[in-house]
């Protein structure tokens, strides 16, 4: 129930207060009974605004009466069963493989001991049937290559007596070759690996022990861009910080979980909270990283394709290129949508639990737009899982990059011009959209999400940061990896630090108490320039760290402990709003906003989100990446 401003003897800072009254009533009473009681003429005389009250009775919900929930539980149960079967199968096969190798080594050890005994007998009796010439002959017959040189101090023997044949000797040499690490070539080590069938590979792809090792591994390649892991982790935790003050607190009209909402404007007027208001820049960090990795990893492949151009090869390359990204993102994405749509209603109850959740209800009709990655073109009120707009933008940029890569392969100059045109076009589109629709993210709810739909989420307004990443990827791929001189490094770090702080804290002149309102021209300029400028600052950090000019910053960002957390960033992005809303809507008391409570809330949201993301990634992300190798025949 909205409380009119005229009945309040306080300054609400422009916030429309909503009164939620929790009341315990007998089971025999229904919501119409309570609404009728509050709508009596006697109460209307005392408080006329009670006539607009809405009543929701929180009733016990039964999953058995919901076919969609039953279906979702069945699907999750099937995956759970496959995980258990795959885990048990992997355990058995691993034990069997270790036992077989142990048995083989033990057998060779016995053979070697017999060899020494025979050699001692030969030395004592003077029986030297197996001469050095025989050994050389065997080497010539069976091991005539550089890899298969006899180990030093090798003593020949015969298993069946003192007059053994060269064939017997070479059998022993083969065994030694396969079971002594110093003699086994890398190619033959791979040949000794398990050769499982498709069904076994499918089942073991879901094995818990296999996927856990993948997630928690801190290994990185020799030429890997290690600082990316730290940038990813810091960016996703920055997103979590901003969303902690959104999802569950103010994200759903009509559901207020805050005891002192008028405190929020006061907090946002402080200098320290400008870092919270600037969290949209974290999304531009992800766009920059995405563009950089695509260019860095694919530009050589595109060049080789153009060197031996054919329509069939180009079509195959494009198909694999798009399929890889679709398969990488979609399985976990669709599972989260299913859980949000079909099961979240059963995650909790209480006086704050909403009777309807538009974020989930929209998915019942518009889920297909998420599957096709076009949900960012829908109005905000119709979007399914509205925070997933980023994935649609990123997928559309990824597909666009396929054509950019082809132009880069044909002519580097033409490709760079194309990227520059896209960047300038994106900056111009952002400025035009802001000048036309006005607004900002902080006041997005007041304009019925016009800013969100027309300025914040459209890909043509966000492509500039992605283009910065494309340029960085090209530079890092084409330029030899070497340190800059100290003058260049100092200038780069100074400009990047100053630029980043400027972008984050310049809005303080507008948001602070008594601040000067920005004109529409200034807002348009900031909307246009802030995102590529921030992306450029992050790009410098990545470039400098990768080329040995990062110092302590590189040590922090490249710390191996951040590698597993970085791998979970995608799952965290998908899941964290569900975690936050479940927490707030299940509360029995109002949340009091203060600096300490916000920090405590943020830490709790972060820890729980990563824990849930680990389980989700274990089941639906790492396993499906393994399935991709089976599908692609690798």
């Amino acid at each position: 129930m909205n409380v009119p401003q005229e009945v309040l003897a306080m300054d609400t800072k422009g916030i429309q207060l909503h009164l939620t009254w929790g009341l315990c009533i007998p089971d025999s009473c229904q919501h119409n009974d309570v609404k009728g009681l509050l709508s009596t003429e006697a109460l209307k005389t005392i408080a006329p605004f009670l006539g607009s009250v809405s009543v929701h009775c929180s009733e016990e919900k039964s999953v058995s009466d919901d076919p969609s929930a039953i279906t979702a539980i069945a699907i999750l149960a099937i995956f759970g069963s496959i995980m258990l079967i795959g885990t048990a199968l992997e355990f058995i096969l691993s034990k069997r493989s270790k036992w077989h190798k142990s048995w083989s080594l033990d057998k060779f050890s016995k053979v070697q001991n017999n060899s020494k005994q025979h050699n001692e007998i030969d030395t004592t009796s003077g029986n030297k049937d197996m001469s050095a010439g025989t050994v050389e002959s065997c080497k010539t017959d069976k091991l005539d290559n550089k890899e298969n040189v006899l180990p030093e101090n090798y003593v020949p023997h015969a298993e069946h007596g003192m007059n053994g044949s060269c064939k017997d000797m070479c059998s022993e040499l083969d065994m030694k070759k396969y079971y002594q690490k110093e003699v086994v070539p890398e190619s033959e080590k791979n040949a000794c690996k398990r050769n499982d069938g498709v069904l076994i590979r499918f089942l073991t792809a879901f094995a818990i022990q296999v996927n856990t090792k993948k997630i928690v591994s801190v290994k990185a390649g020799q030429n890997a861009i290690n600082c990316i892991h730290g940038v990813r982790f810091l960016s996703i935790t920055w997103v979590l910080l901003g969303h902690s003050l959104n999802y569950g607190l103010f994200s759903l009209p009509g559901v207020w979980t805050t005891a002192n909402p008028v405190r929020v404007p006061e907090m946002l007027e402080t200098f320290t909270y400008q870092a919270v208001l600037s969290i949209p820049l974290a999304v531009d960090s992800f766009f920059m990283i995405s563009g950089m990795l695509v260019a860095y990893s694919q530009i050589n492949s595109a060049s080789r394709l153009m060197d031996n151009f054919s329509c069939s090869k180009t079509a195959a390359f494009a198909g694999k290129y798009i399929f890889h990204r679709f398969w990488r993102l979609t399985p976990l994405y669709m599972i989260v949508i299913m859980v949000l749509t079909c099961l979240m209603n059963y995650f909790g109850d209480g006086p704050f639990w909403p009777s309807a959740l538009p974020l989930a209800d929209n998915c019942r009709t518009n889920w297909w737009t998420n599957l096709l990655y076009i949900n960012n073109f829908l109005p905000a009120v119709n979007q399914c899982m509205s925070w997933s707009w980023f994935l649609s933008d990123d997928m559309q940029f990824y597909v666009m990059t396929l054509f950019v890569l082809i132009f880069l392969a044909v002519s580097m100059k033409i490709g760079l011009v194309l990227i520059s045109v896209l960047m300038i076009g994106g900056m111009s589109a952002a400025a035009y959209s802001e000048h036309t629709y006005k607004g900002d993210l902080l006041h997005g709810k007041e304009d019925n999400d016009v800013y969100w739909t027309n300025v914040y989420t459209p890909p043509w307004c966000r492509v500039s940061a992605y283009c910065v990443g494309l340029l960085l990827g090209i530079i890092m791929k084409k330029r030899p990896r070497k340190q800059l001189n100290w003058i260049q490094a100092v200038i780069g770090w100074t400009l990047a630090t100053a630029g980043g702080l400027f972008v984050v804290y310049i809005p303080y002149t507008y948001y602070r108490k008594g601040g000067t309102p920005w004109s529409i021209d200034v807002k348009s300029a900031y909307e246009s320039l802030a995102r590529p400028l921030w992306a450029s600052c992050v790009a410098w950090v990545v470039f400098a760290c990768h080329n040995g000019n990062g110092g302590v910053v590189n040590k922090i960002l490249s710390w191996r402990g951040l590698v597993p957390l970085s791998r979970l960033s995608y799952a965290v992005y998908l899941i964290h709003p569900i975690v936050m809303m479940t927490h707030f809507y299940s509360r029995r008391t109002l949340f009091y906003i203060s600096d300490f409570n916000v920090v405590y809330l943020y830490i709790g949201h972060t820890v729980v989100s990563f824990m849930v993301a680990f389980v989700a990634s274990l089941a639906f992300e790492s396993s499906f990446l393994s399935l991709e190798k089976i599908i692609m025949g690798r």
Side-chain angles (χ1 to χ4, degrees):
M1 177 181 63
N2 292 327
V3 181
Q5 181 68 40
E6 56 269 15
V7 304
L8 299 171
M10 62 180 295
D11 181 12
T12 62
K13 309 290 185 180
I15 296 177
Q16 175 66 63
L17 294 185
H18 188 87
L19 177 62
T20 302
W21 186 13
L23 184 67
C24 292
I25 59 175
D27 288 341
S28 58
C29 293
Q30 303 297 322
H31 73 280
N32 289 331
D33 300 325
V34 179
K35 187 171 184 178
L37 178 63
L38 295 175
S39 301
T40 59
E41 292 298 327
L43 285 178
K44 284 185 178 180
T45 304
I46 301 173
F49 58 86
L50 287 176
S52 61
V53 69
S54 61
V55 178
H56 167 63
C57 285
S58 180
E59 301 174 352
E60 186 176 349
K61 295 162 284 193
S62 176
V63 177
S64 60
D65 298 330
D66 188 348
S68 64
I70 294 174
T71 303
I73 293 173
I75 292 174
L76 294 177
I78 291 172
F79 277 109
S81 301
I82 294 175
M83 288 179 65
L84 292 177
I85 295 172
T87 300
L89 184 60
E90 177 64 26
F91 177 80
I92 294 171
L93 293 175
S94 297
K95 287 293 184 182
R96 178 184 174 186
S97 178
K98 290 179 181 178
W99 176 85
H100 182 268
K101 184 176 181 180
S102 176
W103 176 84
S104 301
L105 288 171
D106 184 61
K107 182 177 180 181
F108 176 75
S109 178
K110 290 180 180 178
V111 170
Q112 195 175 37
N113 289 335
N114 290 336
S115 171
K116 291 180 179 180
Q117 293 175 4
H118 291 320
N119 185 58
E120 291 174 359
I121 294 173
D122 287 346
T123 304
T124 304
S125 62
N127 188 352
K128 299 182 180 180
D129 293 338
M130 298 299 293
S131 64
T134 307
V135 174
E136 292 296 329
S137 174
C138 179
K139 287 170 62 179
T140 303
D141 293 342
K142 184 80 180 241
L143 304 173
D144 191 17
N145 59 68
K146 294 182 179 179
E147 287 185 334
N148 300 326
V149 177
L150 285 171
E152 292 183 5
N153 302 322
Y154 173 72
V155 180
H157 80 282
E159 287 188 19
H160 304 293
M162 303 307 300
N163 296 316
S165 65
C166 182
K167 181 179 179 181
D168 294 326
M169 285 176 50
C170 293
S171 298
E172 178 194 342
L173 291 178
D174 288 344
M175 186 174 291
K176 183 168 184 128
K177 176 179 165 186
Y178 276 101
Y179 294 108
Q180 273 196 337
K181 291 183 178 179
E182 63 268 20
V183 183
V184 181
E186 190 66 30
S187 60
E188 297 188 7
K189 287 182 182 179
N190 295 331
C192 295
K193 290 183 178 179
R194 274 170 34 191
N195 188 21
D196 299 331
V198 174
L199 179 59
I200 292 178
R201 290 182 66 191
F202 171 81
L203 293 173
T204 54
F206 291 87
I208 294 175
Q209 62 269 49
V210 173
N211 293 322
T212 299
K213 289 180 181 178
K214 290 180 183 178
I215 295 174
V216 302
S217 173
V218 296
K219 293 181 180 179
Q222 184 176 2
N223 294 318
I225 308 174
N226 296 321
C227 61
I228 286 294
H229 298 294
V231 175
R232 274 207 198 106
F233 173 74
L234 294 179
S235 298
I236 193 62
T237 52
W238 196 8
V239 170
L240 286 166
L241 174 61
H243 285 177
S244 294
L245 290 174
N246 181 23
Y247 288 106
L249 277 176
F250 305 107
S251 58
L252 191 60
V255 179
W256 282 66
T257 59
T258 311
N260 56 335
V262 295
R263 168 73 175 129
V264 175
E266 296 175 0
M267 294 171 65
L268 299 181
E269 290 174 351
T270 62
F271 182 78
T272 53
Y273 270 83
Q274 298 312 300
V276 178
L277 292 174
S278 298
I279 63 133
L281 297 173
V283 180
D284 294 294
S285 297
F286 281 116
F287 280 139
M288 191 284 297
I289 292 173
S290 180
M292 184 270 292
L293 291 177
V294 173
Y296 187 79
S297 62
Q298 297 294 335
I299 190 170
N300 285 349
S301 299
S303 297
R304 288 193 297 269
L305 182 67
M306 290 297 105
D307 291 339
N308 300 286
F309 178 79
S310 71
C311 293
S312 58
K313 289 182 179 180
T314 303
F317 175 80
K320 291 179 180 179
Y321 175 89
I322 295 174
F323 174 79
H324 172 73
R325 177 56 63 97
F326 183 85
W327 189 264
R328 166 72 179 84
L329 300 180
T330 307
L332 178 59
Y333 187 17
M334 291 297 106
I335 289 293
V336 173
I337 288 179
M338 182 188 72
V339 171
L340 174 68
T341 307
C342 305
L343 297 178
M344 185 175 175
N345 194 39
Y346 302 96
F347 285 179
D349 55 21
F352 299 122
W353 197 266
S355 57
L357 191 62
L359 289 172
D361 294 339
N362 290 339
C363 293
R364 296 185 182 275
T365 55
N366 295 327
W367 61 270
W368 60 273
T369 62
N370 297 67
L371 179 63
L372 297 178
Y373 294 91
I374 57 173
N375 58 303
N376 55 334
F377 296 127
L378 294 178
V381 293
N382 297 327
Q383 288 183 2
C384 163
M385 215 168 90
S386 57
W387 63 91
S388 64
W389 67 270
F390 163 80
L391 300 180
S392 296
D393 276 20
D394 188 63
M395 177 63 81
Q396 290 155 20
F397 296 156
Y398 184 81
V399 174
M400 173 198 72
T401 305
L402 177 61
F403 300 96
V404 175
L405 289 171
I406 293 175
F407 278 102
L408 286 169
V410 173
S411 172
M412 182 62 65
K413 291 182 179 179
I414 294 177
L416 292 175
V417 170
L418 178 59
I419 295 174
S420 301
V421 170
L422 287 171
M423 182 187 297
I424 295 172
M427 295 165 62
S428 302
Y432 175 80
S433 298
E434 172 62 23
H435 203 279
T436 302
Y437 298 102
K438 305 176 177 59
D440 55 63
L441 193 60
L442 181 61
H443 303 95
K445 297 297 181 183
E446 299 175 10
D447 64 2
N448 296 318
D449 292 314
V450 170
Y451 172 82
W452 172 276
T453 304
N454 298 286
V455 182
Y456 187 72
T457 62
W460 48 85
C461 294
R462 305 302 294 257
V463 71
S464 56
Y466 188 87
C467 290
V468 173
L470 290 177
L471 293 174
L472 175 64
I474 295 170
I475 293 172
M476 293 181 66
K477 195 66 177 179
K478 296 299 182 181
R479 178 186 180 274
R481 186 177 179 183
K482 60 181 180 180
Q483 278 189 326
L484 301 172
N485 63 57
W486 70 271
I487 297 178
Q488 293 171 324
V490 169
I491 293 174
W493 278 108
T494 301
L495 292 177
T497 303
L501 292 175
F502 175 83
V503 171
V504 171
Y505 288 102
I506 192 62
Y508 180 63
T509 60
Y510 170 45
Y511 290 127
R512 67 185 175 87
K513 187 175 182 179
T516 304
W518 285 3
S519 66
I520 188 59
D521 293 331
V522 175
K523 286 185 176 181
S524 299
Y526 182 82
E527 190 70 36
S528 171
L529 300 174
R531 305 191 188 286
L533 178 57
W534 173 261
S536 300
C537 296
V538 179
W540 164 260
V541 174
V542 174
F543 178 81
C545 290
H546 187 61
N547 288 281
N549 295 101
V552 66
V553 176
N554 183 50
K555 290 182 179 180
I556 295 173
L557 295 179
S558 301
W559 179 50
R560 294 191 298 173
L562 296 179
V563 175
L565 299 177
S566 170
R567 291 195 184 102
L568 296 175
S569 59
Y570 174 58
V572 170
Y573 184 82
L574 291 176
I575 288 169
H576 76 274
I578 300 176
V579 172
M580 294 175 179
M581 290 186 288
T582 301
H583 166 73
F584 277 114
Y585 296 155
S586 300
R587 291 177 63 91
R588 264 48 179 178
T589 58
L590 292 168
F591 179 78
Y592 188 85
I593 295 179
S594 67
D595 291 341
F596 176 80
N597 286 346
V598 168
V599 172
Y600 199 84
L601 177 73
Y602 164 60
I603 294 174
H605 282 335
T606 301
V607 173
V608 175
S609 295
F610 271 94
M611 290 172 62
V612 178
F614 176 80
V615 177
S617 181
L618 191 70
F620 304 109
E621 188 176 8
S622 297
S623 54
F624 276 86
L625 290 178
S626 298
L627 292 182
E628 182 187 6
K629 295 180 180 179
I630 300 176
I631 295 173
M632 303 304 293
R634 294 188 301 224

